[in-house]
Structure formats: C-alpha cells, structure tokens
C-alpha cells in the first residue's frame, strides 16, 4: 500500500482546502465544498474565504446569510458552523445525539433529573410565537419550571442541542457587531429538517464520509471523527469503502480517499496563506501533523490566527491600527518573508476596505 508522507498529505490538504491555488468558485459552492466553516467568531469566515477564493466579495456572503442560503448553527463538534441551508437541513438530525451528549458532558450534574424530551417540547412551545430569542431569554422563560439547573445549562442544552436553531443576521454579517438571536432552523428556512432514514441505514453518514474526504482527504477514520464529532460512522465507512482508495501514512495508519480527488506532487510550491481563528484546515483532523508541528498544536485551539508558509503553520498574525502584524514561529527565508509581506498587504487592504496596506513582520526568535 502506498505510503504518503507528511508533505504529500500537506499538499493534498491544501488542494482540497482551496489553499494551494485560489479558486474561481461561487461563495455558496465554496462553503458547501468545505463542508461548512468554523464560525463561532463571526468575522473569521470572511478571512477564510478571502484566502481561498479569487476576487472574494464579502458582501456576497452577507447576502447569502440574509437571503437564507447559508446559516450559522451548532453542528460539527457542537461548535457554531457556517453551512449551506441544504446541508444544515440534511445533516442536523444525524448530529442530534452527539449534540446532546456534548452538552451533557459539561452540564450532566446540573441537568440530572431533567427530562430532555419535555424540555425540548417546552422550548419549542416558547419559540412557536416566532420571536427570536437569546439563549438566556429562552432559558429564563422556562426557569420557573426547571429552576435547579440555572439559565446557562438550560440555555445551552436548548439552543445547541435540543432545538435546531440558527443565529439570525445581523450576527455574522460583514463588519457588523451583533448579539446572538436564535430562531428555529426549519422556521427560518421554511423547510423541515430531513428525518433519519426509517430503515436504519445511514445515507447521511455515507454522505459525510464522501464530503469530508473531498475537502480533507486522504484521511483516517479518526480524522473524520475529529472533524464532525460523530462516533457512529464505522458502518457508513464500510458501506462506501468499495468506492474509495487506501493509503498509509508514516505512522502506519490507513488513510481513505476518493479515487479521483487531487493529490498533487509533494514538491508543488505552496504560497503563503493567512488563516482565520479555528480554521478547519487545522482543526478538521485528529492527526494535525500534516499542517502544524506538535510544538505549535496549542495555537489551533486557542483562537490564534496563523500564517501558512510552504504549507505549514509558520507564523501568527493579528491586526493593530489597520496594520497586519505577523509574528514568525521560525526563521523565514528572504523569499518567504517577501511572500508573507505581499499576502499581508493584500489582507490589510481587504480588512481595511482599501484604507491601509500596512504589514509588519517581527524578527524571528
């Protein structure tokens, strides 16, 4: 079986994630291809798409949100993701059990004795008036009936797990600050959520396998699980295995992939790319060694924005006074610093709406 080293996996990941070459792809298609985008920080998906698409116009993404073609909702790993409306409706029921368990993992003690089905029904009854509510407002509306848990555990269970919700605009629009106002997903979209398959099969799980490999492969089953948070996918993998090809990584793990998906030459040049906080190009794997060194792995879960140089996390970045500030994590060559500076200037222009092209790269340690 062919062994793919870290560099080969890196170039495949960059190609699938639209980070090797910027894509001429509609914004809606890009969000769908990526299987959604991590979006608990509302402005971060705009940077993620700017790094992946040619001539990205942030107003298009805002219009997709207000036009209800894209939604912000709790989904993979119980985090807020920006996903297409079609994917939200198709995938949500498959994530129900995982979402409940993840909230219980935090608030099991507080929610002990609460009948979750009764809580869900009561929450739906409150939301039936069509009024958007914050998590706290919804929890307080039910506090008299369930006083013991407190607003936070009740609210998180209701909004993140029991009732499929969307975070309504203006939350998540370009250059807009807004609190979270929730509405039921099916009411917002005017369509019902797809129910689980009645015959016990798992067509959604099979679709998730294919979609994940298209955007993240080649990958191991543990990587798939790390991306979506679902533990019950072995049967789905078995069901589609004949469609797939297999490789091994340098640790001996079996990697699965779609046969015709791009696996570029490992020596393909990779330009500098600025990634937003919590980008799934890093978080979407159990073994993140293909894109980030173990010494820097913690950056991927602390919300640091990172710069890929030669395809790997090599710097962090932030914005201060309309200046993109880059802090290298290793010594950069002159050519690498030039590439980072050029991309940083373009990012500064994008973020400042053309008012600044300033970038500052600090000295390497």
């Amino acid at each position: 079986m062919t062994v793919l080293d870290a560099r080969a996996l890196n170039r495949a990941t960059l190609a699938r994630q639209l980070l090797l070459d910027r894509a001429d792809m509609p914004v809606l298609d890009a969000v769908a291809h990526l299987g959604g985008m991590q979006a608990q920080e509302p402005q971060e998906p705009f940077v993620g798409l700017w790094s992946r698409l040619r001539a990205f116009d942030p107003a298009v993404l805002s219009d997709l949100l207000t036009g209800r073609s894209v939604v912000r909702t709790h989904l993979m790993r119980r985090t807020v993701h920006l996903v297409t409306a079609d994917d939200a409706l198709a995938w949500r029921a498959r994530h129900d059990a995982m979402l409940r368990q993840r909230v219980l993992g935090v608030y099991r003690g507080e929610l002990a004795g609460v009948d979750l089905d009764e809580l869900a029904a009561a929450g739906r009854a409150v939301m039936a008036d069509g009024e958007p509510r914050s998590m706290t407002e919804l929890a307080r509306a039910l506090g008299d009936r369930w006083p013991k848990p407190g607003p936070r555990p009740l609210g998180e269970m209701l909004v993140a797990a029991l009732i499929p919700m969307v975070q309504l605009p203006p939350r998540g629009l370009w250059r807009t600050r807004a609190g979270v106002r929730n509405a039921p997903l099916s009411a917002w979209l005017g369509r019902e959520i797809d129910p689980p398959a009645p015959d016990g099969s798992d067509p959604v799980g099979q679709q998730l396998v294919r979609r994940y490999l298209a955007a993240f492969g080649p990958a191991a089953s543990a990587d798939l699980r790390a991306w979506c948070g679902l533990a019950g996918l072995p049967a789905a993998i078995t069901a589609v295995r004949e469609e797939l090809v297999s490789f091994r990584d340098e640790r001996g793990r079996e990697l699965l992939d779609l046969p015709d998906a791009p696996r570029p030459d490992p020596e393909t040049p990779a330009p500098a790319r600025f990634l937003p906080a919590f980008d799934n190009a890093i978080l979407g794997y159990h073994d993140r060694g293909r894109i980030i060194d173990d010494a820097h792995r913690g950056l991927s879960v602390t919300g640091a924005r990172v710069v890929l140089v030669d395809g790997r996390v090599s710097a962090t970045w932030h914005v201060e006074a309309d200046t993109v500030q880059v802090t290298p994590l290793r010594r950069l060559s002159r050519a690498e610093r030039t590439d980072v500076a050029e991309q940083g200037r373009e990012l500064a222009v994008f973020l400042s709406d053309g008012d600044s092209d300033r970038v500052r790269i600090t000295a390497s340690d």
Side-chain angles (χ1 to χ4, degrees), residues 142-171:
L142 301 172
D144 290 343
R145 185 170 173 182
W146 286 280
K148 181 181 175 182
R152 185 79 187 188
L154 277 182
E156 289 208 25
M157 178 56 80
L158 285 162
V159 169
L162 296 182
I163 306 174
M165 295 278 206
V166 294
Q167 296 185 356
L168 298 186
R171 180 79 168 177

Side-chain angles (χ1 to χ4, degrees), residues 201-237:
S201 64
D202 189 10
V204 175
Q206 295 169 29
Q207 183 190 64
L208 287 170
V209 173
R210 298 185 188 99
R211 294 281 295 276
Y212 175 75
L213 293 176
F216 294 87
S221 59
D223 297 318
L224 169 64
R225 185 167 60 249
W227 168 68
C228 64
L230 300 174
L233 289 175
I237 293 173

Side-chain angles (χ1 to χ4, degrees), residues 40 76 101 119 146 159 191 197 216 218 250 254 263 279 281 288 310 320 355:
Q40 62 263 48
M76 284 76 78
Q101 288 305 311
L119 179 61
W146 286 280
V159 169
R191 292 184 281 163
F216 294 87
E250 293 173 298
E254 182 184 32
R263 289 178 289 274
D279 196 283
R288 300 171 187 165
D310 192 26
E320 186 176 328
D355 290 340

Side-chain angles (χ1 to χ4, degrees), residues 278 282-283 288 296-304:
F278 306 114
I282 301 173
L283 291 184
R288 300 171 187 165
H296 303 139
R297 183 183 173 105
L299 295 172
S300 63
V301 295
T302 59

Side-chain angles (χ1 to χ4, degrees), residues 85-105:
D86 289 343
D87 284 344
L89 294 170
W91 295 353
R92 182 51 168 81
R94 185 62 178 83
H95 288 73
D96 280 352
M98 178 272 291
L99 294 170
R100 288 191 181 203
Q101 288 305 311
R102 293 233 169 175
V103 178
L104 286 174

Side-chain angles (χ1 to χ4, degrees), residues 61-133:
L61 180 56
S62 291
D63 289 345
L64 290 172
L65 279 161
T66 57
R68 311 189 189 196
S69 295
V70 164
V71 296
R72 295 169 47 81
T73 186
H74 288 87
L75 202 61
M76 284 76 78
R77 307 187 300 276
R78 195 175 74 87
T79 56
V80 177
H81 273 71
L82 186 78
V83 295
T84 69
D86 289 343
D87 284 344
L89 294 170
W91 295 353
R92 182 51 168 81
R94 185 62 178 83
H95 288 73
D96 280 352
M98 178 272 291
L99 294 170
R100 288 191 181 203
Q101 288 305 311
R102 293 233 169 175
V103 178
L104 286 174
V106 179
Y107 297 115
R108 192 175 301 276
E110 292 88 339
L111 294 167
V114 175
D115 186 309
L116 297 183
D117 291 335
E118 288 185 14
L119 179 61
R124 289 191 184 94
V126 171
M127 298 301 297
D129 63 4
E131 290 296 319
R133 287 176 172 83

